[in-house]
Amino acid sequence: MSTTCFSLLLLLLCLSLFSTTIHTTPLTSPYLSSATLFPNYQKMLKSFKIFIYKPNEALTFNSPAESLFYSSLQNSPFVTQNPEEAHLFFVPFRSTISTRSIARVVKRHKAELPYWNRTLGADHFYLSCAGLGYESDRNLVELKKNSVQITCFPASQGKFVPHKDIALPPVSTSHAPHAPDNKTTKFLGYFRRVKLKESSLINELVNDPKFLIESEPSDQLTYTMRLASSKFCLFEYGGDVSGIGEALSFGCVPVVITDRPIQDLPFMDVLRWQEIVVFVNNNGGAKELKLVLGDADTWGERYEQMKGLGVKASQHFVWNELPQPLDSFHTVMYQLWLRRHTIRYARWG
């Protein structure tokens, strides 16, 4: 099997709606279903209610996304003081808590209030970018198997349950104020090496004039100019992916380089990721990457469509101190709302 075919099969595993005619299929929307998303979003705003268990200590979080989600939820109209009208229940705990302490938190809530025991935690959710592994303690088993985990992207390997858990989008430092129209691109691909991580694929591209590989951190203005002047922005899955939302907003189509199917993308219930991002298998090296990206003649109208849909989708990757419609916080809340009727029971024994 050629490396090109392998890359296409990898993308098929990642995204069930993938079409092998990736350069010719007309694109109309970045959403899985626009017809249901926006009416349901309005229903969520009017009716969705969350009950937050009272933590027994002050909470601190290791990531900006966790902090913004928690503060936004606390100050939102979704919170209710009446657990009887709640659709879901939030179990808060700090980022640095031990698994033994998490088990005690769950045990305390089970003893003090009846709501966990009604569904064994299936209508509960928790926030943890560290992720929760499989443990023997019954309280942790129920939390892991039944409750929705909200984690960071990319999630810790083996600590994300697809179709149940939710990934927070990274916090971006900039966002294009207006959609870039007919921008002039200087580079085929741009890679920002924020973390000093060795990558044989990226090292192969360093001397290629079509690619801009940034080894030293640039100031924010220079960074945004490079986003705006590049056709594709490269990201290695498992490395630094914090700029995906920024790339989308500046019309730089993200290219995610990976060696396995990705099941923890943010907003998997909302976006057609294959319409706004290119997925490439890293085993093929720079040769495979260049073959997939090709040139302007290869992509044709497909590229302009992907760029436009990416700009449209980028609104969901914006975190605000005061949440705004359809931003990251509200889109995560929408994913929770979709899970409000899902009931799972833990098996024990």
Side-chain angles (χ1 to χ4, degrees):
M1 180 184 295
S2 69
T3 55
T4 303
C5 291
F6 182 82
S7 292
L8 295 180
L9 288 175
L10 176 64
L11 182 52
L12 179 60
L13 290 172
C14 296
L15 301 156
S16 60
L17 296 177
F18 174 75
S19 169
T20 54
T21 55
I22 62 172
H23 299 302
T24 58
T25 304
L27 310 177
T28 58
S29 171
Y31 302 113
L32 293 173
S33 176
S34 299
T36 59
L37 168 62
F38 296 106
N40 284 340
Y41 177 83
Q42 293 301 322
K43 291 178 182 178
M44 175 201 73
L45 293 178
K46 294 178 181 178
S47 62
F48 194 29
K49 294 300 177 183
I50 303 290
F51 178 79
I52 302 178
Y53 287 102
K54 185 177 180 180
N56 58 3
E57 61 179 350
L59 301 187
T60 56
F61 299 97
N62 290 338
S63 75
E66 286 176 294
S67 298
L68 280 168
F69 175 81
Y70 183 64
S71 62
S72 297
L73 177 60
Q74 281 187 305
N75 299 311
S76 76
F78 298 116
V79 174
T80 178
Q81 302 302 318
N82 180 8
E84 292 297 335
E85 69 175 12
H87 298 94
L88 294 178
F89 298 80
F90 177 42
V91 182
F93 47 79
R94 57 185 166 85
S95 292
T96 56
I97 193 172
S98 67
T99 54
R100 181 176 298 180
S101 296
I102 295 175
R104 287 197 292 264
V105 168
V106 174
K107 183 177 180 180
R108 176 167 62 86
H109 294 326
K110 291 167 70 172
E112 294 178 354
L113 292 171
Y115 306 106
W116 182 282
N117 293 321
R118 295 188 309 189
T119 63
L120 297 182
D123 52 2
H124 287 57
F125 67 96
Y126 62 101
L127 178 63
S128 175
C129 283
L132 188 65
Y134 290 94
E135 307 287 343
S136 59
D137 183 284
R138 176 166 186 161
N139 298 298
L140 295 176
V141 170
E142 292 177 359
L143 184 67
K144 173 67 177 180
K145 293 182 65 178
N146 298 342
S147 302
V148 177
Q149 174 187 243
I150 299 180
T151 190
C152 292
F153 173 72
S156 300
Q157 191 168 0
K159 295 184 178 180
F160 187 89
V161 180
H163 311 297
K164 176 180 75 70
D165 295 341
I166 296 172
L168 297 172
V171 175
S172 300
T173 56
S174 62
H175 189 82
H178 305 289
D181 296 323
N182 301 319
K183 69 175 187 177
T184 300
T185 57
K186 296 180 180 179
F187 303 101
L188 177 62
Y190 167 56
F191 180 81
R192 187 188 195 192
R193 183 176 286 172
V194 177
K195 298 178 180 179
L196 296 177
K197 178 184 177 183
E198 278 300 313
S199 170
S200 58
L201 186 150
I202 297 302
N203 289 338
E204 290 180 62
L205 299 175
V206 169
N207 296 320
D208 191 316
K210 291 184 177 181
F211 291 84
L212 174 60
I213 308 301
E214 183 182 65
S215 299
E216 297 294 332
S218 59
D219 60 77
Q220 195 61 34
L221 178 60
T222 303
Y223 172 52
T224 56
M225 290 177 61
R226 287 173 175 173
L227 289 176
S229 63
S230 301
K231 190 171 184 178
F232 296 99
C233 287
L234 312 182
F235 300 92
E236 289 189 299
Y237 178 71
D240 182 71
V241 292
S242 60
I244 285 184
E246 294 168 315
L248 290 169
S249 73
F250 281 92
C252 187
V253 175
V255 176
V256 178
I257 303 164
T258 179
D259 61 355
R260 60 183 181 273
I262 303 176
Q263 299 177 312
D264 60 339
L265 290 165
F267 311 138
M268 290 286 283
D269 306 312
V270 177
L271 297 177
R272 293 182 183 272
W273 275 91
Q274 76 275 22
E275 311 287 38
I276 59 176
V277 171
V278 180
F279 293 87
V280 177
N281 171 38
N282 69 354
N283 292 330
K287 182 179 179 181
E288 169 71 4
L289 178 66
K290 294 176 186 179
L291 181 63
V292 172
L293 299 188
D295 53 34
D297 294 332
T298 304
W299 282 86
E301 186 62 24
R302 167 76 183 189
Y303 173 79
E304 293 299 323
Q305 292 172 333
M306 290 189 74
K307 182 179 73 172
L309 295 181
V311 171
K312 185 175 182 179
S314 68
Q315 65 179 318
H316 303 291
F317 291 81
V318 179
W319 286 98
N320 296 292
E321 293 290 341
L322 295 176
Q324 301 298 315
L326 295 170
D327 67 358
S328 290
F329 171 71
H330 280 102
T331 311
V332 171
M333 292 303 297
Y334 178 75
Q335 290 188 283
L336 279 172
W337 187 78
L338 292 176
R339 289 157 171 74
R340 70 197 186 283
H341 294 315
T342 302
I343 302 298
R344 301 175 183 82
Y345 293 94
R347 295 181 179 179
W348 184 256

